[in-house]
Amino acid sequence: MNAHVPPQNVADAAQRAVRWISEGRAGEGFTDTGDHRAHQLAARHGLSDEQVGKMKRYFSRHRQDADAQGFRRGEEGYPSPGRVAWDAWGGDAGRDWVGRKKFEDL
């Protein structure tokens, strides 16, 4: 199994999400999978190829979340549940990390 250790900027986003989750900001639709991923990334645990592939699919499905109110700092409702989930999966840094060429076949 390949272990892909997330970069620090991915862990930083996940750590922010872990804090927001503990504050109850994740919303009713937040899943145990998202919570697990946030803790995994925050601790910089190595991810398998399968887990990196799941991250890629998450970001592909949730691109539109960035258009919702409260997604960006300074907007009313920040952080929205969509923003909490986005950061739980590593945020923009996570999207960029799993989008690298070395992961294109996952």
Side-chain angles (χ1 to χ4, degrees), residues 61-78:
R61 285 192 315 272
H62 291 274
R63 275 182 282 199
Q64 73 281 359
D65 290 354
D67 297 332
Q69 178 72 24
F71 191 84
R72 290 180 176 71
R73 185 168 306 177
E75 292 180 343
E76 186 175 333
Y78 178 84

Side-chain angles (χ1 to χ4, degrees), residues 32-105:
D32 289 343
T33 301
D35 185 60
H36 176 74
R37 185 71 67 227
H39 283 87
Q40 184 181 39
L41 293 171
R44 297 189 71 202
H45 291 162
L47 276 65
S48 68
D49 289 348
E50 179 182 354
Q51 291 167 322
V52 169
K54 286 180 181 181
M55 286 182 67
K56 289 179 68 149
R57 291 186 292 281
Y58 170 84
F59 287 115
S60 178
R61 285 192 315 272
H62 291 274
R63 275 182 282 199
Q64 73 281 359
D65 290 354
D67 297 332
Q69 178 72 24
F71 191 84
R72 290 180 176 71
R73 185 168 306 177
E75 292 180 343
E76 186 175 333
Y78 178 84
S80 66
R83 175 57 186 258
V84 174
W86 185 264
D87 279 8
W89 287 81
D92 291 348
R95 180 202 55 210
D96 294 346
W97 178 57
V98 300
R100 290 183 181 164
K101 186 167 180 56
K102 74 177 189 172
F103 296 131
E104 70 184 17
D105 294 330

Side-chain angles (χ1 to χ4, degrees), residues 5-20:
V5 177
Q8 186 61 52
N9 59 348
V10 174
D12 292 344
Q15 289 165 3
R16 190 169 46 243
V18 167
R19 185 176 68 251
W20 287 335

